Amino acid sequence: MKKDLGSVLALYPTPLVVVGAYVGDKPDWTLVGHVGIIGHDRILVSLAKPHYINGGIRQNKVLSVNVVDEALLAKADYVGCVSGNSTDKSEVFETSVGKAGAPMISSAPLTMECRVVDVYETPGFESFICAIEHTYADEGILNEQGKLDYHKFKPVLFEMPTYEYLKTGDAIAKCMSFGKKEGK
């Protein structure tokens, strides 16, 4: 018998990312565990309304989503612990600017540069609906065909309610391989 946990968000773990946007003339960064796929060319980035970076995202309509690996984790965690309202986070990472104008973390192995196309508000949160404009990847995480290789790239995962960071693991099987074996 299953226990009813009530209205509990249970889609964790999710990839851990650092979102970057200009606030004024400086890049700002925040750690985000609430990201989602809403189409092949759209993602959702959900931030609590009081976040300092939200104003820059609303004003400029562009942001970067920098996927965190273990090498980036300590600095990523730091930008999630301090607020841009009281701490200048512009120098935490070496940065570059993407083709759409978003600040990007130079050492992030994978970055999506996105344009905000809509904002969906819920109590306490602003969820930015973003069109992916450009995806930048270090060549070391690509396979021979130039595609992302998650056997090489190991993004950190965020899990709630324990607030833990998890490592990605080994592949279990190819997608849809079980159904084909069963004759379905």
Side-chain angles (χ1 to χ4, degrees), residues 37-99:
I37 299 166
I38 59 171
H40 287 176
D41 65 345
R42 300 276 193 276
I43 61 172
L44 177 136
V45 175
S46 184
L47 297 167
K49 285 183 181 179
H51 275 294
Y52 176 75
I53 200 170
N54 293 22
I57 295 170
R58 283 192 310 274
Q59 181 178 14
N60 300 310
K61 304 281 190 233
V62 67
L63 58 86
S64 65
V65 175
N66 303 272
V67 182
V68 176
D69 65 359
E70 284 190 66
L72 196 58
L73 185 56
K75 287 183 177 182
D77 187 67
Y78 170 74
V79 299
C81 291
V82 296
S83 171
N85 286 307
S86 57
T87 303
D88 180 357
K89 298 187 268 184
S90 65
E91 300 293 323
V92 173
F93 302 104
E94 183 179 321
T95 64
S96 59
V97 179
K99 293 176 185 175

Side-chain angles (χ1 to χ4, degrees), residues 123-154:
F125 287 87
E126 290 180 297
S127 295
F128 298 96
I129 313 286
C130 301
I132 301 166
E133 298 277 320
H134 304 278
T135 300
Y136 306 93
D138 288 346
E139 288 190 29
I141 64 168
L142 302 178
N143 65 19
E144 297 76 32
Q145 294 77 35
K147 305 282 185 186
L148 290 169
D149 184 341
Y150 288 95
H151 296 279
K152 295 177 182 178
F153 178 46
K154 303 287 186 182

